[in-house]
Every structure is written in C-alpha cells, then in structure tokens.
Amino acid sequence: MLSREQRRSLCLAGLFHDVGKFKQRAEFPEDRGLTHGEIGYRWLQEHYGETLVSLGAKNHHAADEDVWSVNDFLVLYEADNCSASERHTVYDKAKDASASWQRDLPLACVFSRVRNPHEDVPKTVPPPAYWALPRFQKGTVGWHPPQTAEGKNTGPMYRDLWEKFALEFQAVKSLSNQFNVDVVLHLLEKYTGAIPSMTLRVKGADDRESYRKHPDVSLFDHLKTTAAFALCLADFCLEKHGDDWTRRPLKEEITGAASWDDKAECPFLLVGGDLSGVQRFLYTITSKGALKALKGRSFFLELFLEHAVDALLEQLGLFRCNVVFTGGGHFYLVAPNTSATEKVVADVAQRLNRYLFDDFNGALELFVRAVPFRKADLKDVTTVWQRLSEELEEAKKRKGEAFLAELLGDPKDPDPDCYTDKCQVCGREDRPLKNLSIGETTLPVCEPCRDQYFLGHLLQQASRKGDYPVIYRWDKEPEELRREEYVRIENRWYQPAGGFFREKDEDPEDSPEAVFHLNDWDLTHYRHPGSRPLFAGIYLPPEDAPRDLESMAERGFGIPRIAVMRMDVDRLGRIFSLGLPEGERTFSLTAALSRQLCLFFKYHINGILEGANGYPEKTRLADRPDTPRMAVVVYSGGDDLFLIGHWLDVLEATLDVQKAFAAFTANPFITVSAGMAVGGAHEPVYRLAEAAGDAEALAKGERREGTKTVPGRQALTLLGNHAFPWKDPKRPDVAKVLEALEHLRPFTAVNDRSLKTRPHGLSKGFYYRLLELVRRQRRDGVWVLPKLAHLFGRTRVDGEMEGDWIKLKNYIFSSKADGWRHVEAALLILLMMMREGGREK
Ligand SMILES: [Zn+2]
C-alpha cells in the first residue's frame, strides 16, 4: 500500500489535474499558446513545487512525454479516462453536422437529462437548462438556479472567477491547508461546480440532438471522480503487481485495452451503507423538550453517518473524494476492489454495530455491503447500483443476526439505578441513570439519551451564537470540558460550538483533531489543520424567536397549532435509472445528480427557510407580517425533508420549498410530494409525525377526487387530509387554493397576530356558513347553489370592499361544483388565520 503521504499527493494530483482548463478559459496573456496541461502545471508548480501534484497536470494525456514511464502518471491518465470514458459529447462524423471547441460554452444542467419519470417508459425530455458561472454573496455560494436561455461564460467572467479562486487558494495556503484534501475539495466545488469539464460544441442533426451532446459534467465532478478512481486503481494494481510497481511501468496492467473488456477484472467497489431503525429511533423521545430531543436525535444520526464514513475512509486510506453521497440514513463510496477493502468493510461494520448495539439496545443497525464493478460498467452504472441495493435489502432481512445470542440470552441484570426506575426516554434498565433537566423538570435517563438531548441543545445554541457554527471532533475525551458540552459517538467526542477562530499560541495538545464547518463556504474560516465542511439542514428561528413548540404555537400567526410536514422526491429510483437515457446512465452523471440533490436538501434548504439574500422571497399568505420562520428542520438530506413548527410557517415554508425545488431542477417532471398534519403543541410528536407520514402517503397514492380516480404524486396534502396536485390546470390544485384565499381575504385585515374582520365587511359567521355549504356539496353532492345564492343575497359589504365583493361573488358562482374542494381548503386556512393566538385551550 502507498504511504499516507503518497496517497494524499495522488489524490491532490487527481483533483488538480485539469485545473489548467479553468485558468485557460480566463485567457491571461501569460498563458497564450500554452496547453491546459502546461498552464495547470505552471500554476501548481508555484504552490506545490516539482511534485506529483504539479507534474500530474502535464502528464495525464497519452501524448504527454512522461506518462508511459511512471506508474503514478499512468494511474492518473487511466483515472482521467475512466472519469471521461462516459462522455456522450463525442462527435459522430456520420450523424453530426459539426463540432468545434468553444470556450464560452455554459454547463448543461444535469437535471435536464432526466426524462419524465412519471411515464411508464420515460421518454419526454424536459426543456434545456444551463448553469451560469457562480456568483458569490459575501464569499458564500448563494442561490443560482439554472436558466433556460443558453448564456455565455465569457473570458472576463472566467478571469474574475479565477482571480477569486486564486486569492482564496492563497488564503488556504497561508493557513497551511493546501494539503488538506477536504479543504481543497470544498474550494474546487465552490469554483468549478458550475463550469463544464469540456467545451466541445457538437451540432447534431437537430436542436434536440445538439443539446443531448452539450457538455453536462462539471469540472468539479470530473476532478473529484478522477481523484477517486486514481486512488482505487493504484491500490488495485499494487495488490496485484506489488513488486513490479516500483520496478517498471505497468502500462498494459493499468491502461491496457483488455482492462476495458466486458469480462475484465473489477478494479472498483461500490460500497453502500444503510442505517436501519431510523424512524423508530427518531420518535422515541419524551414530550418534554420534544423539539431539542428530536433535533438532537436526527442530528446524531447525521453525525453517526459521517463518523461511519470517516471510519471507513481512514482504514481504507481514502479521502472524501471517494464519497459519492451521504444523507437520509445512507452513504455510498467508491473503493478499490482489493482483499484489504473487503476486510476493512467487514471489520468497521462490525465495530460500529457493536457500539450501536451497546448504546441503543439493537434499535439501530448499520448494514454495509459492497459490489465490484469494472471499467466497462462506468458507461451504465444502473445495474451496479441495483445490485448494491438488492444486497442491502437482503442484508436487512437478517437484522439483529449478529447479536442474536445476546438478544436471546438471559436478560441482563438491571443497573442498580434501575431497581426502582428506568430511562424515561427509551425505557432501558441496564445502564446507570443520569439526571436530565428540562426547564423545571428533571428526568432520569440513560447516557445515550442524555447525550442526544444535549446535542439538540448544543446545536441550537451554536447556530444561534453566530453565522458559522462548527463541530469539534476530539479523538480522546476532552476532560477540560463540562460533560454536557459534548457527546460521544463510539470512540470520538463531538462538540458543537459557535465558531472556530484559532488563537496563534493555542496549545495543540488542547486542540481538537478536526473541526467541521457547518454550511460554510468561506475557506478563510478553515483555520484548523483538520478543518472540513459539513452540510446540514440546521435552520432555526433566530435568537429572540420562540425556542420550543409551545411558544411557537402561541406566538405564531392565527390559531395556536403546530404542524409537521414530510416531503420527498417522487420516483427517485426511476430518476436515477430509467429516467436517464440508455447509454447515458454514467457514473459521473448519477454522481452529479446525487451531489445536486444533496446541495438542495442539506444546504439550500437553510437559505430557503431563512429567506436569505438572493433566495426567492418567502411566501406570506394574506400579506401577514414578515417574521422569521417559526419552524425547525428536523431532518433534511438525501431526497427528503421533515419540518416541524407553527402550522402557518410550516405551510408557507412547504410552498417555498416546492417552488424553490422546481426552480432548482428546472425540470417540470422532477417533482416532490408532501404531507402536512396539524395538532396541538402538547400532542406527542411521534403521533404528528405519523399523521404527516399518512398525509404524505395520501399525496403519493392514487386518490378519489369527487367521482374520479386521479393519479398520485406531485401533490401536497394540506392540513391532514386535503390532497391537491401542485399544478394541474384541469383540477383543483394548490395554486387554485391560494387563488381562492386571495378572493376570500380582502374583507379581513391583518392584526398583530391574526386576521380580523373589517367593519362592514364579512363576518366570521359568513365564512363558517360558506364553509358548511361547500362541505355539504363535496360530501353529499347536494346541489347547494340556491342556498349559496341565498347566503350571498342577504350579505352586504360597504364602500371600498364593494369591488372585491363582486369579484368574490363571480368567483364563487363560476366555480364548478367539483372545483369547490379548493374553496373549502382556502376557507379552512383563512379561518385558522382568523383565530386569535394566545394560550392553547
Ligand atoms: Zn435511554
């Protein structure tokens, strides 16, 4: 095996091998006439000296002079081929009209490759969409959804971007972090995530064919996969040809045509992890301090996944570039197909499960499986992914098997603490009990349950303290800290904190081993040698806003209720398989799709809820006052989202997230479904979560609407049981609910925390009667038009409301009977907004 330093160099060489392409497009006078390899080499040489990192830039093409004589270069060359082998941007002389290099070509949006997954055989293609070069808001990556018009990435735009990149790299270097792969990876994602890895314009037979060949792999995704493959190829080759590695160039072994054969050996492994028991684990919480407990547990799961991925990477000698994706209780990575990997994967999984079993009594179990794949599979990875998910499903059928003897053995004696009591959260009796104070109450709980509550509390404190919360990771217990300031996960200790600004004379003995920077794109903050980024949905209302569900309910607008909303992406499996055209289901395309979904659900979700600068304006129904969202992201990752908070904030946030997601993918066929359940602040959270789960299932399933059966998905279930498609011109949809609300509300005025009736406007009684009639119409199919006419006939409004009144009448009487479901939902929302806040009865 290569040394840690050699591996790091190889990884950095992979990450930087095409950095010259970026600089080349900036068209600096000094680079005139040079190849991108030479440009990259010159820049890298300045920063990394005459090392593999810089030499790799000019030695990864077949024509480069030293490629064939050094194994490191051969590996880079081949990793580059593996990463690019999948390109469909190739000129076909027989079919295509022309091909030309065009430096200002923008990157095609990866979502625009996905054909309508709702069709039995996905074939309808979405409209083209392109990503412009990123613009930064105060050094951070803001909201930049793709555009439908094909813009240009001009030389001056690239120059500006390169200068910012070079400056930030300089800052990284001055903090001695240029060898920190996590930091370099983050920097590259920031600057090269939206620039195309190649700029060949192929004109096909028609526009559609030309767009199909438009470059759609970002330079970042290309660099990242190249680095990952390089490490795998080196390990694979070393295991097979160990002694020869240092003696001669392994040209045939590494790059030979035979290694691309359908029957060649598999140099790669796709490793997948699946944490099972998540749902039950999450909802095992007390009703006291439910919000912190819930956030704590869900964040614990995220940290645990990171912890698990780190454990694997460290043992395998790999880096974060090998991670395809973590989130939603899963992780995936690319590893070398060696006997060492197999052993490490088995050992680490066993070790982690020992910990999970001891600390959580078998409630959580991590399943890890790996499937080998060959170079030829890179062109269509769907079967590889499918095989992995089948293996994971198979493994999950044997849940608890490893600890069967312990589970079936004699019950353990209770801990002396538990002779008369037990953990008030999870109910176990075999551990010492600790006191957990929540407000005025003190509960006896076990150590893991107390840690998770602390985690929720610490995270809340950290993210309220400053813009840049961090998490310290200690590899030995930080004894100088108070016990409630950190939590333990297996053999490491984690401490959320307000921000990291290293003191010059700080004693490295007291320093943590790693610092996770939450959602922070400013690399000048990454001052610790173990600094690294971590994306997580951690939005919380600001300091002066309510901190618990009870006060959120009371201090929110309208009726004091809370809501839970659950959302996920429709047809995700098909998006990643059948949704992509055959021959284009490549490794980089699926990796890029995962990365983008991850960015949305783990990173942008925060900006959307905050209504941060540059993000779409927050929805405010009936022009209610603009206050910070009283909602908390319980979890968000993978492709799903769980929000809890004041009912109206949750409803509006749901509308915002759906709208933002549609803009983010720019693909009308990639949709979400969501379900929302409303309840009192004292209702057990698990019950609301279940109700929201049912509501989501209702949105996803086929439904009866009046006399018709309508297809499921692409829908929102409002207030527990009113399901509407987001947009459907032929049916009552969410847009029509909002339109009805707009017609109903001009007769009310915004009070401080509720809508109130206006003098000489419509009374609450009118709205209630209208609601009753609309309901009868829906439920019994009774023809209520005469009764409606009567209600409207005897109601009068005054003066300036006259115009709105006529509009409302026309609107109601033009509504088709089966269209009144949306009027009912709008009335419910309006009436909930008209109820006074204050203490819940
Ligand atoms: Zn417990």
Side-chain angles (χ1 to χ4, degrees), residues 439-495:
E440 281 122 46
T441 22
T442 302
L443 297 172
V445 298
C446 70
E447 192 203 19
C449 286
R450 190 185 62 162
D451 266 16
Q452 274 132 46
Y453 183 85
F454 285 160
L455 187 58
H457 175 71
L458 292 168
L459 191 68
Q460 212 174 73
Q461 274 192 325
S463 49
R464 283 177 203 270
K465 257 184 203 153
D467 287 342
Y468 303 107
V470 296
I471 292 168
Y472 297 122
R473 193 194 78 205
W474 312 77
D475 294 354
K476 58 181 194 317
E477 188 159 5
E479 274 150 2
E480 66 280 9
L481 296 178
R482 282 180 297 136
R483 185 57 189 85
E484 60 267 32
E485 289 181 291
Y486 58 89
V487 300
R488 179 179 68 87
I489 297 179
E490 205 210 353
N491 53 1
R492 284 175 166 168
W493 289 264
Y494 295 86
Q495 179 202 1

Side-chain angles (χ1 to χ4, degrees), residues 706-763:
T707 52
K708 282 173 276 180
T709 301
V710 298
R713 302 192 180 86
Q714 320 185 42
L716 163 67
T717 304
L718 276 163
L719 314 176
N721 51 10
H722 300 261
F724 295 96
W726 298 105
K727 208 163 175 51
D728 186 336
K730 292 188 216 111
R731 290 155 56 198
D733 60 7
V734 172
K736 292 189 188 95
V737 173
L738 301 180
E739 185 195 41
L741 186 64
E742 278 306 296
H743 277 102
L744 290 163
R745 79 168 183 101
F747 316 95
T748 61
V750 175
N751 201 354
D752 181 21
R753 283 210 220 119
S754 65
L755 289 180
K756 63 173 200 294
T757 53
R758 286 171 62 180
H760 314 293
L762 297 175
S763 67

Side-chain angles (χ1 to χ4, degrees), residues 154-319:
T154 63
M157 285 158 80
Y158 268 118
R159 204 166 311 148
D160 181 54
L161 194 64
W162 174 268
E163 276 164 0
K164 288 196 174 93
F165 165 78
L167 205 65
E168 198 154 350
F169 179 84
Q170 201 62 52
V172 165
K173 199 178 161 197
S174 72
L175 297 162
S176 309
N177 258 331
Q178 75 272 33
F179 293 99
N180 177 332
V181 171
D182 295 321
V183 165
V184 169
L185 202 58
H186 198 43
L187 182 74
L188 287 171
E189 179 166 12
K190 178 174 177 178
Y191 287 93
T192 67
I195 71 183
S197 68
M198 60 164 348
T199 54
L200 183 67
R201 164 151 355 242
V202 177
K203 281 228 185 288
D206 54 24
D207 284 355
R208 186 175 155 172
E209 202 47 32
S210 305
Y211 184 70
R212 202 178 69 78
K213 295 204 167 185
H214 195 102
D216 55 10
V217 172
S218 73
L219 184 58
F220 174 70
D221 288 303
H222 173 60
L223 298 174
K224 186 182 167 205
T225 47
T226 301
F229 290 148
L231 289 165
C232 295
L233 288 173
D235 281 344
F236 180 74
C237 262
L238 265 165
E239 186 178 80
K240 287 186 66 77
H241 314 286
D243 293 343
D244 286 343
W245 177 274
T246 45
R247 287 196 207 127
R248 61 178 179 91
L250 299 162
K251 187 182 150 192
E252 268 312 302
E253 292 83 344
I254 297 175
T255 70
S259 70
W260 286 85
D261 194 84
D262 278 348
K263 291 178 191 66
E265 284 178 292
C266 296
F268 309 115
L269 279 178
L270 184 65
V271 182
D274 187 334
L275 189 60
S276 107
V278 167
Q279 295 278 336
R280 245 184 75 193
F281 173 77
L282 268 181
Y283 305 138
T284 308
I285 51 170
T286 64
S287 49
K288 290 263 169 241
L291 198 52
K292 277 180 194 169
L294 199 57
K295 184 69 211 171
R297 288 206 159 215
S298 104
F299 196 67
F300 166 81
L301 293 175
E302 286 193 45
L303 269 186
F304 173 76
L305 278 185
E306 295 297 322
H307 178 91
V309 168
D310 279 347
L312 281 168
L313 293 179
E314 283 163 22
Q315 294 294 314
L316 293 169
L318 299 175
F319 297 90

